[in-house]
Amino acid sequence: MPTRGDAPPPPRRPQARTRLARAAVVEAARQLFLERGYGATTVDAISTLADVPAATVYRLFSSKVGILRALLDVSIGGDDEDVAVAARPRVRALTEADDPGEQLAGFVGLTVQINTRVAPLYRVLVSAAGTDPDAAALLADLTRQRQEGQRVIVRALGRRGALRPDRRAGEAADLVHALLSPEMYRLLVIDRGWAPERYERWLRETLADQLLAPP
């Protein structure tokens, strides 16, 4: 029988257990979605691999597309914190930076990191969106969020008078959206074999040339 000094540690709080369960489900879903595809993966299979009861999985995520959304959120943010990328300190610091070139380079670096984490899952989502209306709605929502986030940097450059005089804000946002897209990352890094560092350097140079006014 343990003495007072040898008392066992207190049980984990419900919030901590919930976070562990969410993390286990998300990681199991990542493995199965990449191995089998979205359509062939069932919630029961995720539940079994995660060792989390199916009822708990549905309580935490509501549906299979809810699990995919959570998985993408973790991959985009790089952690399980419930904070949008645009509201994170690093992004806020970039929008407030004094040097337009520093703003653009920092935004490019952040996007390349996100695309590196998300690229395999983005292909799963695009494939699922072709047959699943809920996945299609998720894809549309994530695309909208990405566009809104990209407009933040364009507006920041515009406020400083850093955009080329012949480049309208809407056109600048279109260029950012296309060049920083997961599709462009996949085309050059995955399909054509560019190193992420080369891709990032090319993006910095190309966007600076296309967006920034001459010094």
Side-chain angles (χ1 to χ4, degrees), residues 4-197:
R4 182 172 300 181
D6 298 325
R12 289 192 179 99
R13 294 174 298 174
Q15 184 177 6
R17 290 199 298 270
T18 296
R19 192 166 186 173
L20 288 173
R22 286 183 63 89
V25 171
V26 165
E27 188 53 41
R30 181 193 304 276
Q31 180 177 330
L32 292 174
F33 287 155
L34 294 177
E35 287 179 356
R36 304 179 183 180
Y38 180 81
T41 299
T42 64
V43 173
D44 283 343
I46 295 171
S47 166
T48 299
L49 183 60
D51 195 23
V52 175
T56 301
V57 174
Y58 280 109
R59 177 174 59 81
L60 294 174
F61 300 96
S62 299
S63 63
K64 185 166 72 167
V65 78
I67 300 172
L68 180 58
R69 176 184 286 277
L71 173 55
L72 286 163
D73 285 345
V74 168
S75 300
I76 291 168
D79 54 48
D80 62 353
E81 298 295 329
D82 189 19
V83 181
V85 171
R88 296 190 174 216
R90 180 179 175 185
V91 177
R92 296 176 66 178
L94 285 174
T95 61
E96 297 167 3
D98 293 328
D99 185 327
E102 178 185 330
Q103 284 183 314
L104 195 57
F107 190 70
V108 166
L110 176 63
T111 304
V112 171
Q113 291 175 10
I114 292 173
N115 280 339
T116 301
R117 292 193 298 264
V118 172
L121 298 170
Y122 188 78
R123 189 167 191 177
V124 170
L125 174 60
V126 170
S127 176
T131 56
D132 187 313
D134 291 333
L138 173 57
L139 176 60
D141 187 45
L142 291 179
T143 300
R144 176 189 56 77
Q145 292 179 33
R146 180 160 55 91
Q147 289 173 324
E148 291 177 355
Q150 290 164 343
R151 290 191 191 102
V152 169
I153 193 67
V154 172
R155 286 195 295 266
L157 293 172
R159 284 195 301 270
R160 297 188 179 281
L163 288 176
R164 284 173 42 166
D166 61 341
R167 188 71 73 212
R168 293 172 296 144
E171 185 181 23
D174 289 343
L175 287 168
V176 172
H177 183 67
L179 291 173
L180 295 183
S181 66
E183 291 85 358
M184 183 64 77
Y185 177 91
R186 181 166 194 87
L187 175 65
L188 292 179
V189 176
I190 297 178
D191 293 348
R192 304 306 303 167
W194 284 27
E197 297 79 10

